[in-house]
Structure formats: structure tokens, C-alpha cells
């Protein structure tokens, strides 16, 4: 496929996402939203509290490991007492944000546009967050964090969905995602996959490389025929799945016990598994990877806007961002953050060409974000329905 055209196609993605954000609500991806709020123009006194909704590992306060804590310094600096709630999937994050109980959320690209469309988050005046200036340019003004010219949050970190395998079973690293798709029969009952409709994109990416006649140019832009092909592949895989995972601790346990031997994972899972002595490793297959570029967003209904802005700026500060992204296992949002960690090179931090080759989670919409104008693509509600059919 024409991989070098991705930059141009993703330029189209931004325009279409801007034009189509309202459609996400209409087609059932978000509940009844509110009118968009305006970005703040100035900040005031801290309110004294902040409720954070985050991916595991993004807002560590020392309760999991006393040596891992970047929340406490924020509390001491600002006087904002932080409570943290973690979630396992983007769907869960969207549902929780609709309760109005959280001030800020770390949203991946398959959640951020739904939150914007539902009126659940507000535009952010990045001039009030000085650390935004250091953020890599290739993470700014993207379809998943900017709508109609307005920024909706602070880029946090980015990374890839990797292939994990048992080193007891594989003497060499697998080179293709085929081991979990066309070749999954060899590992029947011990294949694992991420439990979310967005995983359909992983199948689409594999088909993009192995069945070019389908004409897939972007794994998040699937017409009905292309979606059907991905669904068929995943239904075949389903017979060999031992378990779908969303709780990363359960995936670690499954690989440790041998209940799982191959499947999709995150670098943080491999980091923890290796530390616990699990016989696992990870690799980037030849077909490429999907991945994420996450954004810290502020609730449209927050009663703690000053603490919220303070958090967005703080979590992008070099030391805090370096700590958080290193602990999770992803590239940071700035070169300055690399001064506080020693492994940035391993994550290709700051390498714009490498980052461009990750298919970042993006909410599927009816307008085909691959640039097609003569086709209608399937939206996230169709993917959700398809995922329910796949799992049975």
C-alpha cells in the first residue's frame, strides 16, 4: 500500500473530523450533549480539589508504589487535592465522563471526538498552559484533539499497540500479525485480543497489507464491504481466543500462567510482566501497528476549572511528563521530558517520521477519512454493533 501518502490522508482526516463532529452525536456515538462552552480567557484561585479520570499509570499517587508518585508534588504546589479513578477502555471513559463526576480525563483518539460531540468536554485556551509550547508539533492540531480550529486539550504521550508473545512458545519473535489472525489455529484457546470495538482497526490494518484488493487505505475508514471483511476475520479469530482483555493485570496473569501465549498488548504490560518474571516479549510486526496519542481534556461541567488547567499544564511539564510516560511505557510529549528519563530513544521520542507510521486510534465516522468522496464509511455505532456480533 502507499504508506508514504499517510501525511496527506491525515490532513484530510482533520478537515472531515471538523465537518463531522456533530454527526457523531446524531449517529448514536454520544449521548445528549450540551452546547459547547467557550475556552477560558484567564485563571483565578485554585478551588482545592480535582477529580482525575485516567488510564492506569497516568496519574500515580504513590498508592500502588510509594516510589512512583507525581500527583503529590502537584497537590503540594497547587493545593488541589486529587482523587484518581482509572478506566480500562475508551468506551468506559466516555460513559464515566457523562456522569459529570470528573474534572479532567486522559482521552485516546477513539474517545476524544465522542466527548467533544457529546458536549462533555470544553475547548482549552492553550495560552494558559505554558508547557504546551514544548509539545512536539506533530502532536498538535490533530483530528483527535482539535475541532473547528479550537484545541480541546493537552497532548500527553503516544505509543503503539504491540504484539506480545510467550518466549516459551516462540523461540523467535513473530514477524506478522498473521499469528493472531490467519495462523491463530496453531494457538487455539491461547490467543488474546483487546476488548474494544476499536480493535476492528487492527484486523483492518492486517487486511490492508494482506488483501489489497479490498482497497483499505486507512483502518478507521471502512465502507460496509471492508467492515464485513474485518468482521469475518475477527469471527474466525474468535474461535481461537482464550480471553479478550481490557484489564492489563489480567493479561499479565494470563501470560504468566500460560493461558495466553500471543496477542495484542501495550508496552506498559510488557514492562510489568517482565518485572514479575513472565516469559514474554513484544515486537512490531511487518504490517505495522495501531496506537494512541492521548489528550488531557477538561469537563465542560467542571466546578474546578483552575485546578483543571493547572493539571493540564503540570502533566505536560518536563519532569511530570517524563515520569508518567516512562512509567506507562510510551513516548513523552516533548524533548524536554526526555531529560528526566533514559529510554526515550527506545520509544523513538520526537521522531516525527516514526510517529507518522502509527495508525492512531481515531473515532470512525460516516465520511471516509481516507479521502474518498464516492463512498460512505461505517461509523462507531456500526463498529460497536459489529463487535457485539464478533464476541457473540
Amino acid at each position: 500500500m502507499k504508506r508514504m501518502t499517510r501525511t496527506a490522508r491525515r490532513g484530510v482526516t482533520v478537515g472531515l473530523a471538523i465537518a463531522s463532529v456533530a454527526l457523531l452525536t446524531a449517529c448514536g456515538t454520544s449521548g445528549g450533549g450540551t452546547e459547547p462552552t467557550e475556552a477560558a480567557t484567564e485563571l483565578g484561585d485554585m478551588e482545592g480539589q480535582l477529580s482525575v479520570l485516567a488510564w492506569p499509570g497516568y496519574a500515580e499517587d504513590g498508592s500502588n508504589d510509594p516510589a512512583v508518585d507525581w500527583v503529590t508534588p502537584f497537590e503540594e504546589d497547587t493545593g488541589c487535592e486529587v482523587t484518581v479513578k482509572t478506566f480500562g477502555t475508551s468506551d468506559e471513559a466516555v460513559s464515566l465522563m457523562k456522569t459529570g463526576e470528573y474534572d479532567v480525563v486522559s482521552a485516546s483518539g477513539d474517545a476524544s471526538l465522542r466527548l467533544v460531540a457529546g458536549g462533555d468536554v470544553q475547548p482549552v485556551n492553550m495560552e494558559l498552559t505554558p508547557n504546551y509550547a514544548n509539545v512536539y508539533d506533530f502532536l498538535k492540531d490533530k483530528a483527535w484533539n482539535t475541532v473547528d480550529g479550537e484545541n480541546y486539550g493537552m497532548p500527553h504521550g503516544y505509543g503503539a499497540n504491540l504484539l506480545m508473545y510467550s518466549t516459551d512458545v516462540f523461540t523467535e519473535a513473530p514477524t506478522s500479525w498473521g499469528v493472531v489472525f490467519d495462523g491463530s489455529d496453531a494457538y487455539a484457546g491461547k490467543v488474546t485480543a483487546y476488548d474494544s470495538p476499536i480493535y476492528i482497526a487492527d484486523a483492518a490494518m492486517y487486511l490492508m497489507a494482506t488483501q489489497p484488493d479490498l482497497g483499505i487505505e486507512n483502518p478507521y475508514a471502512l465502507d460496509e464491504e471492508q467492515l464485513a471483511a474485518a468482521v469475518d476475520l475477527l469471527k474466525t479469530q474468535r474461535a481461537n481466543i482464550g480471553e479478550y482483555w481490557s484489564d492489563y493485570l489480567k493479561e499479565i496473569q494470563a501470560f504468566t500462567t500460560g493461558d495466553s501465549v500471543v496477542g495484542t498488548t501495550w508496552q506498559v504490560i510488557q514492562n510489568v510482566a517482565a518485572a514479575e518474571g513472565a516469559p514474554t516479549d513484544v515486537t512490531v510486526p511487518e504490517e505495522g501497528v495501531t496506537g494512541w496519542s492521548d489528550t488531557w481534556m477538561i469537563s465542560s461541567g467542571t466546578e474546578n476549572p483552575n485546578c483543571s488547567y493547572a493539571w493540564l499544564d503540570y502533566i505536560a511539564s518536563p519532569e511530570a511528563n517524563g515520569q508518567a510516560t516512562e512509567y506507562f511505557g510510551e513516548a513523552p510529549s516533548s524533548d524536554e521530558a526526555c531529560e528526566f528519563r533514559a529510554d526515550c530513544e527506545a520509544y523513538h521520542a520526537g521522531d516525527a517520521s516514526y510517529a507518522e507510521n502509527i495508525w492512531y486510534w481515531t473515532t470512525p465516522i460516516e465520511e471516509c477519512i481516507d479521502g474518498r468522496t464516492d463512498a460512505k464509511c461505517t461509523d462507531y455505532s456500526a463498529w460497536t454493533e459489529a463487535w457485539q456480533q464478533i464476541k457473540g
Side-chain angles (χ1 to χ4, degrees), residues 19-59:
S20 306
V21 67
L23 180 62
L24 292 174
T25 301
C27 62
T29 59
S30 295
T34 59
E35 289 298 318
T37 56
E38 295 183 357
T41 57
E42 60 182 3
L43 298 179
D45 296 334
M46 299 298 165
E47 298 86 2
Q49 62 274 325
L50 182 72
S51 180
V52 174
L53 183 63
W55 286 107
Y58 269 28

Side-chain angles (χ1 to χ4, degrees), residues 22 52 94 96 100 106 112 119 145 167 170 222 316 319 355 375:
V52 174
V94 171
L96 288 170
S106 61
S112 54
N145 60 32
T167 54
F170 294 86
L222 306 180
E319 185 171 2

Side-chain angles (χ1 to χ4, degrees), residues 158-160 162 267 271 282 284 326 329-332 338 341-351 354 358:
Y158 61 98
L162 305 169
Q267 184 67 50
N271 292 350
V282 293
V284 176
E326 180 179 28
E330 62 185 346
C338 288
R341 51 186 289 188
D343 61 347
C344 273
E345 185 176 354
Y347 291 93
H348 302 271
D351 186 339
Y354 178 86
I358 300 172

Side-chain angles (χ1 to χ4, degrees), residues 117-133:
D120 302 306
V121 293
Q122 62 179 272
V124 176
N125 183 352
M126 306 312 293
E127 292 183 358
L128 301 179
T129 56
N131 283 304
Y132 184 67

